[in-house]
Amino acid sequence: MVIRKAMKSDGAALDALLTKLIRDETRYDSNLSPEVVIKDNYSERIETEGNTAFLAEDDGTIVGYLYGFLYQIPGMMLRPVAIMDALYVEEAYRGQEIARELFQRFREFAEEGHAGRIELKVLSDNTKAMALYEALGFCEKKKYMELLLTAKNGQ
């Protein structure tokens, strides 16, 4: 297994994994479409300053990735915050410490960018992801709340 920094040429493969991630999350979020197909999302984004992606490759096949970025509001934040935006490992490769290795590379990116912390959002019902993040040292800091609205006129 090779963990490496993603390149622009990996964009389509990362888009395919993001598609799988979103489809997987439909189990926890009824507002996500199980038919979604992500295209042209990562190829430019991962090479933009302050953005990064790391991937796990098994014999040339990308089997997992982590995408994140540095975020800072000048004058308000003393140090940037590293946002871990997406983490996905193919089901057949889970339990092999790949997510942990991807996270470690992102943590190094965050530290090199002088981030004060790493933040992520996780769906509350995704207990496996919650357990992973807690094992990596994350703790609850904020709560995001939602109010479901009913559609009017069938929309």
Side-chain angles (χ1 to χ4, degrees):
M1 189 67 56
V2 174
I3 305 293
R4 65 172 175 84
K5 189 170 182 350
M7 301 176 290
K8 184 176 183 172
S9 59
D10 299 313
L14 298 184
D15 289 345
L17 291 178
L18 178 56
T19 296
K20 289 182 178 185
L21 170 62
I22 294 169
R23 288 178 178 178
D24 187 56
E25 288 184 339
T26 62
R27 292 185 283 171
Y28 313 108
D29 186 343
S30 63
N31 195 41
L32 294 175
S33 170
E35 283 85 37
V36 68
V37 176
I38 303 298
K39 293 181 182 177
D40 302 321
N41 182 61
Y42 283 125
S43 61
E44 298 296 326
R45 186 177 299 213
I46 60 176
E47 293 195 344
T48 303
E49 185 178 351
N51 291 254
T52 195
F54 298 99
L55 56 83
E57 216 170 25
D58 183 28
D59 283 333
T61 300
I62 299 172
V63 299
Y65 83 107
L66 186 155
Y67 165 74
F69 55 92
L70 296 175
Y71 175 76
Q72 184 171 22
I73 300 172
M76 184 178 107
M77 299 171 133
L78 299 176
R79 294 171 64 188
V81 174
I83 306 294
M84 198 166 102
D85 190 59
L87 171 62
Y88 183 81
V89 176
E90 293 277 16
E91 197 162 343
Y93 289 85
R94 293 178 189 172
Q96 299 179 32
E97 302 293 313
I98 295 170
R100 186 177 295 275
E101 291 178 42
L102 290 166
F103 170 73
Q104 186 55 43
R105 293 291 299 274
F106 183 71
R107 182 178 181 145
E108 292 166 6
F109 163 81
E111 289 170 345
E112 289 168 8
H114 306 288
R117 65 180 178 261
I118 298 173
E119 292 183 359
L120 59 84
K121 293 181 187 176
V122 59
L123 293 161
S124 299
D125 292 336
N126 190 343
T127 56
K128 287 184 181 181
M130 296 277 283
L132 168 66
Y133 298 139
E134 288 171 0
L136 292 173
F138 284 86
C139 60
E140 187 177 298
K141 179 72 174 179
K142 300 177 185 177
K143 285 191 185 251
Y144 287 85
M145 300 173 74
E146 71 178 11
L147 171 65
L148 296 177
L149 302 175
T150 56
K152 292 183 181 184
N153 299 326
Q155 295 180 345

